[in-house]
Amino acid sequence: MDTSSPSVFVNAELLRMHVGKKVRAVVHVTQSDGEITTGKSTDEHQLIVKGLPHVSLMSYVEVIGIAESDQSIRAETWTNFGNTFDAQSYNQVCQLANGEFKGLFL
Amino acid sequence: MTKCVSPNAISTILANPSPESSSDVPEIVVQVIELKATGASGNRFMFTANDGKMKLRGILPTNMGSEVMSGNIQNLGLIRILDYTLNDIPNKPEKYLIVTKCEVVSPPLEMEVKSEVKSEETGIVLKPKQENEIKSEVKSEVPGIFLKPKQEIVAKSAAQIVHEQRQNMAPAARMSMTRRVFPLVSLNPYQGSWTIKVRVTSKGSMRTYKNARGEGCVFNVELTDEDGTQIQATMFNEAAKKFYDRFQLGKVYFISKGTLRLANKQFKTVKNDYEMTLNENSEVEEASNEETFVPETTFNFVPIDSLGPYVNGMELVDVIGVVQNVSSTMSIRRKSNNDTIPKRDITIADATKKTVVVSLWNDLATSVGQELLDIADKSPIVAIKSLKVGEFQGVSLSTLSRSVVLVNPDLPEAKKLRSWYDSEGKESSMASVSSGMSPSSKSGSRSMYSDRVSLSHIQKNPSLGEEKPVFFSIRGYISFIKPDQAMWYRACKTCNRKVTEALGSGYWCEACQKNDEECNLRYIMVVKISDASGEAFLSVFNEEAEKIVGCSADELDKLKSEEGEENPYQLKLKQATWNSHLFRVSVAQNEYNNEKKQRITVRAVAPVDFAAESRFLLEEISKMRVSK
């Protein structure tokens, strides 16, 4: 397992704290036009992902890439989780991973 | 320091039965003999005080218990009595010494102290007794003068005269004349007569029963005396009817003429080796001038969503909740004697957003049940103590005769519940506590999330399931399935029992008493499971094994005999390995060659629901943080 460049679990709120760094987030796709994908973060805010191929609407995609701004990520790798995903649990993990359990993740 | 008994110590005590204070008590040193432990926890000590000439039975104060246990006070040792009370034993000349303050004087002497000069003392010894028996001796001392007039009337014994005199007095005064109170702890089945002064700290309801000897009614009360000692008293039939209304919760009574016997461990609710029975001849009189004190009920509430583990257990629970619904009274016919008893069901909810149904029986259904129905629209809070947890519809609660129901109680939990309900509770949707449970009867109607434990929890407790099998949920990986184990047995196609090879051909089922050409193979195997905490071997039967292996035993058997590069049988088992599952297991004790061994059996298997599992883990994490 390559642990050389870990990515931080983020939602919209946490993204702004890691601009310029490698992050991972799950977005619920609302718009997808080839170059720009728009989706809802796990804490219900809008995020933009650049560099994804066409993804079917309403699917959950995990994106790993560099945070370009406090609202967008440039994708390097991605995984499509399909239509069922527990966004709330993922959101809680984001909070734990950036809070008291930070040491376990980075 | 004198290391011998005070001469005439006993007579001194007898002459002054209730000294005003310890300054009123002269130097009294006695020898302790016949020392023995008594009382509910064996921490009170009875003894006989010996001064060489006389002996007196008595009891040491509670605070001297430690002196006895440490060996400072031993049999044949000496103590100085600093303060005491002498109690009468009704209708007997002997007295009972209650030592209230004493100190150790000397360790055990070589033997019982015996005064040499006895004959002269006999006169002295008799005197105190004479004082008591003076009434009965009236006749013998002065026969001539007194008997003649009596001959015209029916001759009465002195006891009868005294009794008649007393009958004209007020009841309380009547009893107080002869009454000296015995501590509950000093009672035993062989003690002659006694009187106790006790408070009713619990009162059961009247129950009717039918047995081989006929019908009857019974009720019991829990009695507590000043020392805090408790005893259960039971009354049957006539006595029950006589005393049911007289005994009231919280009131104090003088009781005498009851019988004591060893308590039946199965049914006893108070800590006392003995239990008491009162019959129609027993005496129960209310003590006037005693405040009615109903001991405060203490609660230990279980949140509704945590009731699962208590189902069908012996442990009684306390709950508190907001009343959502009150049913009308139902009449339930009791199977044992065809009696009909009233029942009322109430639904309560708490901050866990779960609801549960509580069945109120007998008096509770009619009294407080009606009260709740009247105020149901105000969503009252109800706190109930001592409920039995049953499995009807998943989880059900039932009251017993000892249950206590408080409506809108003044408790901090009630205040918290009220504010929760008023702010968010009444709007939120609640689910029945049973709805989160799988209805499978094999797993005992519990979900894969109730009683969730780690494997180490089971391994570290070798005594689990000693009496009755205990059920748990676990999540683990299949870490190893041994290929060369007896993995299946030949089973009858009809009844699934093991068949034997018939003499001719085919298979014989002993249970069905028939022969069949064919049989089924059914799994019976042991698999190794691992989780983050440890590993264990689990026994798995057919249905669950099929889910784990991914095919039936017959199919696996076919694979076994197939030839190929890689044995498809081994491959199939390999593929089953390192899959995670949710298991419902039972843990029990088995005896192999006189050794007790823990046996874990799989009762149900389910795939891991990752979203549900994540939520469960997140909750566990938050619980960990709270407990810090």
Side-chain angles (χ1 to χ4, degrees), chain B residues 398-425:
Chain B
S398 268
T399 58
L400 305 167
S401 60
R402 62 207 308 245
S403 303
V404 177
V405 179
L406 297 182
V407 179
N408 289 323
D410 187 13
L411 296 167
E413 293 92 343
K415 291 196 181 77
K416 266 204 316 214
L417 201 54
R418 179 95 264 153
S419 58
W420 164 78
Y421 191 71
D422 288 341
S423 56
E424 56 170 289

Side-chain angles (χ1 to χ4, degrees), chain B residues 121-348:
Chain B
E121 316 286 309
T122 41
I124 304 167
V125 169
L126 279 175
K127 264 197 193 146
K129 287 191 183 173
Q130 276 183 333
E131 281 163 22
N132 290 329
E133 285 176 0
I134 219 159
K135 291 199 177 83
S136 47
E137 281 168 19
V138 162
K139 266 202 255 172
S140 49
E141 273 180 29
V142 201
I145 304 168
F146 281 76
L147 274 178
K148 271 193 192 153
K150 278 186 185 170
Q151 276 176 338
E152 288 158 20
I153 319 160
V154 176
K156 288 182 189 172
S157 74
Q160 257 184 298
I161 296 172
V162 171
H163 180 72
E164 278 166 28
Q165 284 177 344
R166 287 175 186 166
Q167 269 188 326
N168 297 328
M169 298 163 101
R174 167 168 32 122
M175 267 206 129
S176 68
M177 274 191 61
T178 48
R179 173 175 43 229
R180 289 284 186 215
V181 167
F182 280 61
L184 259 182
V185 83
S186 68
L187 261 50
N188 63 64
Y190 316 106
Q191 181 106 30
S193 9
W194 41 260
T195 302
I196 53 175
K197 183 176 173 189
V198 287
R199 192 182 299 279
V200 174
T201 43
S202 181
K203 181 179 169 185
S205 50
M206 185 80 88
R207 302 187 304 277
T208 51
Y209 64 88
K210 209 192 237 178
N211 60 21
R213 282 169 276 171
E215 291 182 343
C217 59
V218 60
F219 86 104
N220 50 42
V221 290
E222 184 184 281
L223 307 170
T224 310
D225 77 352
E226 260 175 2
D227 294 335
T229 320
Q230 299 188 309
I231 195 166
Q232 178 169 288
T234 309
M235 284 136 281
F236 290 91
N237 303 316
E238 290 312 311
K241 290 182 200 150
K242 182 175 176 188
F243 295 124
Y244 187 75
D245 291 321
R246 200 180 300 184
F247 275 128
Q248 286 175 48
L249 183 64
K251 288 202 171 166
V252 180
Y253 301 86
F254 289 104
I255 302 178
S256 56
K257 300 196 183 147
T259 41
L260 255 66
R261 58 163 186 211
L262 283 175
N264 185 334
K265 283 198 168 50
Q266 261 192 315
F267 299 115
K268 71 174 180 179
T269 48
V270 297
K271 286 199 187 83
N272 197 319
D273 293 332
Y274 298 119
E275 58 181 10
M276 190 186 296
T277 308
L278 302 177
N279 58 35
E280 305 112 73
N281 297 322
S282 304
E283 286 171 11
V284 173
E285 272 178 19
E286 193 176 324
S288 50
N289 305 328
E290 297 286 336
E291 258 175 54
T292 305
F293 171 70
V294 180
E296 228 173 78
T297 326
T298 48
F299 290 94
N300 201 351
F301 295 119
V302 176
I304 295 179
D305 70 347
S306 309
L307 287 171
Y310 293 90
V311 172
N312 285 340
M314 298 250 311
E315 202 179 327
L316 303 179
V317 299
D318 306 339
V319 293
I320 186 167
V322 184
V323 176
Q324 306 285 93
N325 184 36
V326 182
S327 77
S328 51
T329 326
M330 302 167 254
S331 279
I332 307 291
R333 191 173 287 269
R334 196 184 255 146
K335 282 190 199 145
S336 55
N337 57 3
N338 269 346
D339 258 11
T340 44
I341 36 182
K343 175 176 106 133
R344 201 189 288 264
D345 283 341
I346 63 169
T347 308
I348 59 171

